[in-house]
């Protein structure tokens, strides 16, 4: 791997053994968390699409992998992050030339149907919000931190008489 790397997070394609896509995603997310590398990894996805199957007159919706044996990772490549991804169990390597991972172009990402636009939220740090979805639904909290790259918001909730920081998706909260 060359010493030159991008300081900006880009999407990379990681090749995995067949059937290991979700395991790679979970293991990589856990490693990132354990090593506190959240500032280098922004998103890890196994692209899925709904597939409608009609069997015995009943409609059934299945999730199907769009790119079997591939995981998409939005990350900043450094020697350490490259090594971590490369050595995650189930990963056979980055898609690219030799050892250098090649980021996807904006055009390639658009062709895959990903929406690159940032979600614009109507709340700011210190605003009061209501949780509208998930296990903390209907709780009211104060916005502590907004991470637009990960589309996450950290809010302080009063749980069992203590202020507890909770990280949620933008879609799970609503400004009051």
């Amino acid at each position: 791997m060359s010493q030159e790397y991008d300081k900006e997070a880009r999407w990379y394609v990681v090749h995995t053994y067949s059937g290991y896509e979700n395991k790679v995603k979970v293991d990589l997310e856990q490693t990132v968390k354990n090593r506190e590398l959240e500032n280098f990894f922004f998103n890890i996805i196994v692209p899925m699409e709904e597939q409608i199957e009609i069997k015995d007159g009943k409609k059934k919706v299945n999730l199907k992998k769009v790119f079997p044996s591939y995981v998409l990772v939005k990350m900043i490549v450094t020697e350490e992050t490259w090594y971590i991804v490369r050595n995650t169990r189930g990963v056979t390597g980055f898609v690219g030339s030799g050892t250098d991972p090649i980021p996807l172009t904006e055009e390639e990402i658009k062709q895959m149907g990903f929406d690159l636009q940032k979600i614009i939220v109507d709340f700011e740090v210190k605003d009061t919000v209501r949780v509208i979805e998930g296990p903390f639904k209907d709780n009211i909290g104060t916005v502590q931190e907004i991470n637009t790259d990960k589309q996450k918001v950290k809010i302080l909730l009063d749980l069992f008489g203590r202020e507890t920081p909770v990280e949620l998706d933008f879609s799970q909260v609503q400004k009051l």
Side-chain angles (χ1 to χ4, degrees):
M1 158 146 192
S2 64
Q3 291 299 319
E4 286 293 308
Y5 56 83
D6 218 322
K7 300 270 187 272
E8 192 180 321
R10 298 196 186 281
W11 283 103
Y12 294 90
V13 180
V14 177
H15 189 262
T16 69
Y17 291 123
S18 180
Y20 273 73
E21 304 89 349
N22 290 326
K23 180 142 184 47
V24 165
K25 174 181 166 41
V26 169
D27 288 354
L28 197 48
E29 286 171 342
Q30 192 58 53
T31 302
V32 167
K33 191 175 176 187
N34 290 347
R35 296 196 183 194
E36 297 178 354
L37 291 169
E38 290 91 344
N39 294 336
F40 292 91
F41 290 88
F42 298 93
N43 209 341
I44 302 166
I45 58 174
V46 178
M48 305 288 261
E49 67 183 359
E50 285 187 353
Q51 189 177 39
I52 297 168
E53 185 183 329
I54 297 174
K55 202 173 185 182
D56 302 328
K58 292 189 176 99
K59 190 166 120 177
K60 188 178 171 192
V61 178
N62 293 323
L63 281 177
K64 182 177 166 262
K65 291 179 185 93
V66 179
F67 308 111
S69 300
Y70 293 98
V71 175
L72 299 177
V73 181
K74 186 175 187 182
M75 63 185 279
I76 296 172
V77 174
T78 66
E79 290 289 331
E80 184 181 15
T81 61
W82 177 87
Y83 181 85
I84 285 169
V85 172
R86 204 47 207 88
N87 289 287
T88 297
R89 213 169 106 220
V91 169
T92 59
F94 280 97
V95 172
S97 62
T99 56
D100 287 341
I102 296 174
L104 291 170
T105 64
E106 297 235 353
E107 192 54 42
E108 288 169 327
I109 294 166
K110 281 185 186 128
Q111 284 174 351
M112 288 180 187
F114 290 123
D115 189 3
L116 286 180
Q117 295 175 336
K118 297 252 188 266
I119 293 179
I120 297 163
V121 291
D122 63 350
F123 48 81
E124 296 174 17
V125 173
K126 295 190 177 139
D127 279 355
T128 303
V129 293
R130 175 190 309 273
V131 181
I132 56 171
E133 186 182 290
F136 301 107
K137 186 177 178 181
D138 295 329
N139 278 293
I140 307 235
T142 308
V143 176
Q144 221 186 355
E145 195 179 299
I146 298 171
N147 185 331
T148 50
D149 281 328
K150 290 185 179 182
Q151 299 180 4
K152 300 264 186 197
V153 59
K154 191 179 282 181
I155 61 173
L156 276 181
L157 291 178
D158 187 358
L159 301 175
F160 307 111
R162 326 184 113 126
E163 283 205 322
T164 308
V166 176
E167 189 178 72
L168 300 167
D169 292 331
F170 285 169
S171 62
Q172 292 180 284
V173 297
Q174 181 179 49
K175 183 178 176 180
L176 286 179

